[in-house]
Every structure is written in C-alpha cells, then in structure tokens.
Amino acid sequence: MKRLWEQVPLKGQVMLFSSLIVLLSLLILSLFVAHNQTNNTREYLAEKVQLSASHVAYNSLVQNSLKAGETNQELMHYIEIIREENDLLYIVVMDTNKIRFTHPNSEQIGRTFVGTDAEQVFSGEKYTSDNVGTLGPSMRAFHPVWDNEGNQIGAVSVGISTDAIANAVLDNQKILIMITTISLILGLIGAWTLANHFKKTLNGMEPKEIALAVQERNSMLEAVNDGIIAINNAGEVLLANDAAQQFLKRTGYQGPFDHTPIDLIWPELKLQEMLMTTSTDTHELIKKGDVETVVTRVPMYVNHQCVGALATFNERSHLHDIVRHLIGAEVYAHSLRSETHEFMNKLHIIQAMVETESYEELKDYIEDLSERYHMKTASAASQVEQLVEDVSISHYLAKRIGWLEQMGVHVHIQSGIPWPSMSADFIDIWVTVIGNTFDNAWEAMQHKEQKNLTLTLKQVGGVLRYVIEDNGIGFSANEKQQFLTSTKKGDHGYGLANIKKKLQPLNGTLDILSEKDKGTIITIHIPYTERRQEND
C-alpha cells in the first residue's frame, strides 16, 4: 500500500489527502447536524401535536359535546378541518370512559380508545407518547378537558404518523446532503488549486525527484576538490562543502557553519560584497591566515532578484602542482612531436636514397645515424629510457636530466630492475615527485661550483625505489620539519609536503637525510605490485 501511495504524483496525493480531510470533516459535521435535526424535528412535531390537543381541549364545541354525552356532526366537521389543516393522523375526543366522540374513520366513533398510554390523561396530566393505535404507529399528545367548574369531563388525543416524522427528518437531511456535496466539490476544487500551486512552486518536480536532486547535489559538492561556500542575502552561510570546511578548520576556524555570518568565519573573503553587484570576481588572491587561495566569487540571482552569493576557491599551492603536471605533459608532447618530425625527415632521406639507388650514400648515412645514436646513449638522460619502461615518465625524466646537464650538473644514474609501465594515477604521482625533487636539488646546487646529482631507480620486491642525492646546501632538522608541514613557496624544500600527501593513499614512504653545506638525500618507496593488482 505504501509503495502504491508513493507512486501517486504529488498533485494526486495533495488532492486525495485534502479530499479525505474535507470528506471526514463533513461526515462528522453531517452526523452531528443530522442527529440535532432529528431531535429538533421530533421536538417541533411533539410541540405541534401538543398545541393542537390544547387548542381542541378548550374549544366550546368539544366541551358541550362531552357535557351532553354524545357527538354531533358539527363537532366531527370542526375536528376534521383542524386535522387536515395541520396534517395530523387523527384527533380523537373521548369521554372519561375512553369512548371516542371523533375519529378519522367514522366506524371507530363510539368505540373505546386503543392504547395503554391514555390512562394518565384522566388524572389531569398532559403529555406525549409513542404508541400504536388503529391507524398505526404514531406520536400522540394527550390533553384533559374540563368543564367550567373545573371538573374533568373527557380528554383529547392528537396523533401524527411516525412516517410523517421520518419524512420531515428525511427532507431536512436531503438539504444537508446537498450542502455536504457542494462543500465536497468546493473542497476538491480547492485541493486541485492547492496541488497546482505546489507543483508550480516545486518547478513541476515530485518529492522523490526533489530528494534525489538534493542527494545528487550534495554528492557532487562533496566530490569537488575545490572549496565551495554559499551565503544568503543576510550574509549567513547556507552551504559549505567538505573541502571548504576542512580548509577553514585547518586554517584556524573551529565554530559552526550553518547560518553563521560569513564575516565570523572568513572576513577577508568579503563575500557579502557580491550581494550588491551583478559582476563576477574571478581568480582573485585572498589569504586565510598564512595560506593564499585563488577565489572566484559570484552573486546568485533568482527571478532577477539577488538571493545570495557563492565562492569557489583552491589553495594556490595546489594550483601550482596542477601547473607542474601540465608542464610535464606539455614537455612530453613536445618531445614526441619533435622526435616524430625528426624520424619522418630521416625516412624521407632514406626513401630518396633508395629511389635514386644511392646505396653507398645510404650505407654511410645509416652508419652515421648509428654512431650518433650511440653517442646519444652515452648521456645520462638517454639511459633513462632503458631504466623506465613507461614512456611518459621516461621522457619527462630524460628532459629534466637533460636540462640539468645543460646547466652544468654532473648526473650519475644507478639502476636495478627497470620500472614497469604504470597506470595514470602513478604517472601523476611520479611527475609530482620528479618535478619537486629536481627543483629542490637545482635550487640547492645552483650556487655550487661543482654540481653533482646521483639518481637511483630500482624495483625491489614489488616496491619502486627512487633516490635522489645532491651536494647542495642542505638544511637543518628544524627546516626539514617545516618543509614537511608547509607548502609555502619561496623556501628550499618547497613541495616536500605535497609529495608526502601524495604518498599517503599509496602507503608510500618519504625519508630525508640532509646536513648543512653537505647535501641532501631523498628516498621514496612506493609499493606498486599490490597497487596494480587492486586496479586490475
């Protein structure tokens, strides 16, 4: 039943629910009113027959006939007129022996009145009762008749059929039913109008669709790496995704977020200023404590009315990492284009020599290419291609080594089992590691007369080992701790914290050995076999 109800559209649910409320209310009201109407109708008819009985009892024709001890045509005619005018079942005038002087059925005149409820009237009481007489069930009123001296000389009984009572009640209830039906129709029209208003307010969406949209929105907000903060037009925080909350807590704010003024959380953001403008501020540098962020701020409008403002941001250091990755990819792409172009030129030359049958020249040309290739492989940069099977990493590493060699750095490479081809996430991590460690090494050695760098690439027991050793200026233990916890740009050691963060999900390790003016050794281990099996 619950599933069936959930399948009913919102408009139908509102109409059904509202209609049931209206119907139930009208039903209770109708029962209450019908009960009151029934009682009121019976009371009215009882009063009517009692009044008729009283009126007949004090009539002189009745009193004279009872004194005479016999009926007459004038009395019977008078009584019949009253009965018909008041729509009564009967009017019976009887003496103290209950002998009828009048009756609608002339055959009953002179006979004894039927019913045990007539005894009290001869004790001088007037009352009403329900009983069955010769004309069927009826409500009967009794009234004593006295002469001028106050002696009781007879009684009057006036009856009205219970069918007449039921018809009177039914007539009243028909009116009530009609009013109830009209009210129900009006309630349905109101429910339909209300349902349409709800649908319009909810942009035609069903409750399930709204709930799903909210869940999807929350999932998307939490999946975004950028921090997102939204405020209402009062400057209070409506939304702060997990990335934003973690960043703000890490930079010092420990209070609540929902409906907290943005000035209390991040006053430097000045997000409330966007409530007064229609323009957008993009890629603006704003600090939170000592951390620089790149922020985009936009006002939010609904139906041409500003309802709040939104800010998206990321740490500047994270964006530098992304730039480094892009640069590495660009270098690799440029290298591929250059080598492809060079290879095609050599093929054209070989093709031309073959077509002109210049075989001697072709032989000399191939020998020259071979000699130049062997000369090239003698450099440290060219050795990388044999130590790393993954083309992306080998080209990127070769370019970085080649650049250092051009800057006068003597690079020595040590190797064991070559590195295998890797998945995209590993390539991204190693580009970060190589880029940061090479930058740190060059920064430490650039003012040295003799610049030496030793690079070790090995695979031992399913673990990738990367060791880079320079003879630079080195750093102290305090500086080492600072570099591992800070991403602030400008100091030697920048990027070590980013490397450490990258290694944590992969169970990688980072070891640093450094002495002032003697150099630095950075050792990195990443389990790769286990990781690759999980991906497979």
Side-chain angles (χ1 to χ4, degrees):
M1 185 67 181
K2 183 178 179 181
R3 290 184 178 179
L4 182 62
W5 173 257
E6 290 176 350
Q7 293 176 358
V8 178
L10 176 62
K11 185 175 180 179
Q13 291 184 19
V14 172
M15 289 189 65
L16 286 174
F17 191 68
S18 301
S19 301
L20 286 174
I21 292 176
V22 172
L23 184 60
L24 183 61
S25 301
L26 290 175
L27 181 61
I28 295 174
L29 179 63
S30 299
L31 292 175
F32 177 75
V33 172
H35 177 72
N36 283 344
Q37 282 187 341
T38 301
N39 291 337
N40 291 338
T41 302
R42 289 186 62 85
E43 290 176 1
Y44 166 75
L45 293 176
E47 184 178 352
K48 178 180 177 181
V49 292
Q50 187 65 52
L51 185 62
S52 298
S54 177
H55 177 73
V56 171
Y58 288 103
N59 186 270
S60 59
L61 286 176
V62 174
Q63 294 177 354
N64 293 333
S65 179
L66 289 173
K67 286 179 182 180
E70 61 181 1
T71 187
N72 55 68
Q73 289 295 326
E74 184 180 5
L75 174 62
M76 290 188 291
H77 180 68
Y78 165 73
I79 293 299
E80 189 63 19
I81 291 174
I82 294 177
R83 187 188 71 81
E84 291 178 352
E85 287 180 350
N86 291 277
D87 195 20
L88 301 173
L89 180 63
Y90 70 85
I91 299 177
V92 172
V93 177
M94 61 185 123
D95 60 14
T96 54
N97 295 319
K98 297 199 292 185
I99 301 301
R100 299 188 185 100
F101 280 38
T102 60
H103 195 279
N105 184 358
S106 59
E107 295 179 356
Q108 298 295 327
I109 297 175
R111 295 182 180 181
T112 303
F113 183 81
V114 177
T116 58
D117 53 346
E119 301 299 332
Q120 292 174 295
V121 71
F122 296 104
S123 299
E125 297 182 19
K126 50 183 179 180
Y127 55 92
T128 60
S129 67
D130 292 324
N131 210 328
V132 179
T134 58
L135 298 178
S138 62
M139 176 189 287
R140 310 200 282 193
F142 294 89
H143 197 287
V145 180
W146 295 278
D147 60 13
N148 295 333
E149 286 77 22
N151 299 315
Q152 185 172 355
I153 57 177
V156 175
S157 176
V158 177
I160 185 170
S161 173
T162 54
D163 292 338
I165 298 174
N167 291 334
V169 172
L170 182 60
D171 290 339
N172 289 331
Q173 290 181 345
K174 285 180 179 179
I175 298 174
L176 180 61
I177 291 171
M178 183 177 66
I179 295 174
T180 302
T181 304
I182 295 174
S183 300
L184 181 59
I185 293 172
L186 292 176
L188 288 173
I189 294 173
W192 183 81
T193 305
L194 182 63
N196 279 340
H197 176 70
F198 280 166
K199 290 286 286 185
K200 184 177 180 181
T201 303
L202 299 176
N203 294 323
M205 298 179 68
E206 295 294 328
K208 275 189 175 181
E209 296 174 337
I210 296 173
L212 180 61
V214 172
Q215 293 173 355
E216 290 174 343
R217 186 206 68 161
N218 292 337
S219 298
M220 288 186 289
L221 289 175
E222 299 307 330
V224 174
N225 290 327
D226 289 357
I228 301 176
I229 296 178
I231 63 172
N232 57 20
N233 53 13
E236 298 173 341
V237 173
L238 289 177
L239 179 148
N241 70 345
D242 186 64
Q245 293 186 25
Q246 294 301 323
F247 169 78
L248 292 170
K249 289 178 180 178
R250 193 173 68 249
T251 53
Y253 180 76
Q254 300 300 325
F257 291 92
D258 290 344
H259 299 289
T260 301
I262 188 64
D263 286 344
L264 299 179
I265 298 176
W266 192 354
E268 298 87 354
L269 187 60
K270 297 181 180 179
L271 187 55
Q272 66 276 17
E273 293 181 358
M274 303 308 297
L275 300 173
M276 309 301 296
T277 181
T278 58
S279 60
T280 300
D281 291 342
T282 58
H283 305 127
E284 184 179 357
L285 287 176
I286 298 177
K287 277 191 173 184
K288 179 67 173 81
D290 294 332
V291 182
E292 284 188 336
T293 61
V294 180
V295 181
T296 295
R297 302 180 301 169
V298 297
M300 298 187 298
Y301 280 83
V302 175
N303 296 328
H304 307 290
Q305 183 177 0
C306 184
V307 296
L310 177 75
T312 60
F313 63 92
N314 207 332
E315 296 182 44
R316 189 178 182 182
S317 59
H318 294 171
L319 297 178
H320 279 303
D321 288 343
I322 295 173
V323 171
R324 287 176 183 272
H325 298 168
L326 293 176
I327 291 174
E330 184 179 1
V331 169
Y332 171 59
H334 180 71
S335 174
L336 287 179
R337 286 196 298 269
S338 299
E339 291 187 9
T340 301
H341 182 70
E342 182 180 358
F343 178 72
M344 292 302 297
N345 288 338
K346 291 174 182 178
L347 284 180
H348 290 155
I349 294 173
I350 292 173
Q351 182 181 8
M353 290 182 178
V354 172
E355 290 178 353
T356 58
E357 299 182 354
S358 304
Y359 299 120
E360 290 297 328
E361 291 83 351
L362 177 59
K363 180 181 178 182
D364 294 338
Y365 180 69
I366 292 175
E367 289 178 354
D368 181 61
L369 289 178
S370 178
E371 183 178 352
R372 278 190 283 170
Y373 173 76
H374 288 298
M375 290 178 62
K376 179 181 178 182
T377 57
S379 69
S382 62
Q383 298 178 37
V384 176
E385 298 178 3
Q386 301 176 10
L387 304 179
V388 181
E389 294 180 3
D390 193 281
V391 178
S392 302
I393 296 178
S394 65
H395 274 70
Y396 180 66
L397 190 56
K399 288 297 180 181
R400 299 306 301 261
I401 293 175
W403 183 83
L404 287 179
E405 289 179 333
Q406 293 176 9
M407 300 304 293
V409 179
H410 176 70
V411 180
H412 176 66
I413 298 180
Q414 298 177 347
S415 66
I417 300 175
W419 283 6
S421 297
M422 303 182 191
S423 56
D425 56 345
F426 265 77
I427 294 173
D428 175 74
I429 291 169
W430 280 118
V431 167
T432 299
V433 170
I434 293 168
N436 283 306
T437 55
F438 268 64
D439 287 346
N440 290 340
W442 167 247
E443 186 178 349
M445 296 186 298
Q446 60 182 331
H447 299 300
K448 290 276 188 174
E449 292 186 6
Q450 183 70 25
K451 304 176 180 66
N452 297 317
L453 185 142
T454 301
L455 182 67
T456 302
L457 302 173
K458 290 184 178 181
Q459 182 182 179
V460 181
V463 177
L464 302 183
R465 185 180 185 186
Y466 173 90
V467 183
I468 182 169
E469 179 181 357
D470 65 70
N471 65 335
I473 60 176
F475 47 81
S476 66
N478 290 335
E479 291 174 324
K480 171 185 173 181
Q481 185 62 31
Q482 180 182 354
F483 298 152
L484 288 174
T485 57
S486 174
T487 58
K488 185 177 179 181
K489 188 175 181 180
D491 297 323
H492 172 49
Y494 167 74
L496 294 180
N498 289 336
I499 294 175
K500 185 177 180 181
K501 184 178 179 180
K502 288 275 189 178
L503 295 178
Q504 286 177 350
L506 305 177
N507 297 321
T509 61
L510 170 65
D511 297 315
I512 303 173
L513 180 62
S514 183
E515 291 186 37
K516 276 287 188 179
D517 299 322
K518 291 186 178 181
T520 302
I521 301 175
I522 297 177
T523 304
I524 294 174
H525 292 93
I526 300 179
Y528 182 70
T529 302
E530 179 183 351
R531 173 71 178 178
R532 181 171 55 187
Q533 288 174 350
E534 291 176 1
N535 289 337
D536 294 341

